Amino acid sequence: MSDAAQPTAAEVRAAAEAVKAALDRHLEAVEHRTGEDDPAVYDAFNALAAAAEAYDERLYDRYDEVTPFEIPGADDSLPPYAGPEEPNALTVLIRRDYAVVEPQRLLAQAQRIADLDPDEDRSDSAAVVGTSVHAALGVLFGEYEPDEIGSRHKEFGLEEGDSTLWVSAADNLPEPGEWLSTPFDQADPQRVVCRFDVSSVFDEDELGEDLDDLDEVQS
């Protein structure tokens, strides 16, 4: 960062004062909370996180120093539920990531599916897949349900990444075809009834904790 872009010492000091004020606000909100999901506590938490992040950035830019605080990202938690108490409909949003680690295996499996398709002319089946991973994925996901692909991903040359499932409350079932052009635009975290996340990062965190415990025992 250039000297002209660096924050001044006064700006760093102001950011530190903002953190102190945010701490006081957060403590006051916690002391006077009205329930487990008090929106005042949630707002104060977000304000404290933003102030701490701003201070950390200015401190680093000015003095090349960091704070010992780790601010959870927005994806680490959900805001308080603000949907209907008795949902009349549900929306289930699922994301699963895969890496194509064995393209030849994927191509071979997709070609086998194409060869067995009675609606395809076997003499032209090679053109259905060929050497195109794009075409192979279309054949694979056209043949199998996502859950089956998830349970058999290694067989298809895929490697699992992160996945998440959100169950969101809806007031009413949308009209047929209403959201098909933009299926994920209306995802509202405040209407999530429950969510289920799968990530290797959880295993890494647990492994780190286990290693820390082991170090303590050995010492």
Side-chain angles (χ1 to χ4, degrees):
M1 178 177 290
S2 66
D3 292 339
Q6 286 184 350
T8 64
E11 288 174 332
V12 178
R13 174 64 62 180
E17 294 298 329
V19 173
K20 298 174 186 177
L23 276 169
D24 289 338
R25 176 189 170 191
H26 182 260
L27 178 58
E28 183 177 0
V30 170
E31 290 174 337
H32 296 89
R33 65 182 178 184
T34 58
E36 184 176 350
D37 294 327
D38 190 337
V41 175
Y42 175 73
D43 290 342
F45 173 89
N46 284 339
L48 176 57
E53 185 175 2
Y55 170 63
D56 191 86
E57 291 178 356
R58 286 166 174 75
L59 186 71
Y60 179 80
D61 291 342
R62 178 68 185 182
Y63 300 110
D64 199 24
E65 293 287 346
V66 296
T67 65
F69 311 121
E70 182 178 355
I71 306 301
D75 294 336
D76 294 341
S77 61
L78 288 171
Y81 177 71
E85 185 174 348
E86 299 292 338
N88 294 320
L90 295 174
T91 295
V92 179
L93 301 175
I94 301 174
R95 172 172 174 168
R96 293 172 175 163
D97 288 351
Y98 297 95
V100 180
V101 292
E102 296 183 78
Q104 293 305 316
R105 179 183 290 271
L106 171 64
L107 293 168
Q109 290 284 22
Q111 186 62 57
R112 180 184 62 82
I113 296 169
D115 289 343
L116 294 175
D117 189 346
D119 295 330
E120 290 288 341
D121 184 347
R122 292 180 61 85
S123 63
D124 297 332
S125 60
V128 174
V129 179
T131 59
S132 171
V133 171
H134 183 278
L137 290 171
V139 171
L140 179 66
F141 281 86
E143 177 70 16
Y144 298 112
E145 294 290 333
D147 286 344
E148 185 168 2
I149 293 175
S151 64
R152 300 172 58 183
H153 62 277
K154 292 183 179 179
E155 179 183 335
F156 303 127
L158 305 176
E159 181 180 282
E160 284 184 312
D162 290 353
S163 66
T164 188
L165 182 151
W166 290 20
V167 179
S168 300
D171 296 319
N172 295 292
L173 200 64
E175 293 294 326
E178 180 178 340
W179 51 258
L180 290 180
S181 61
T182 54
F184 305 112
D185 283 2
Q186 298 181 3
D188 184 354
Q190 289 190 302
R191 283 181 168 255
V192 173
V193 177
C194 56
R195 66 178 288 179
F196 304 93
D197 300 323
V198 177
S199 174
S200 61
V201 71
F202 301 141
D203 298 332
E204 292 169 0
D205 289 344
E206 292 172 0
L207 177 61
E209 292 172 1
D210 292 341
L211 291 175
D212 290 341
D213 293 341
L214 180 60
D215 290 340
E216 291 177 3
V217 171
Q218 292 177 338
S219 61

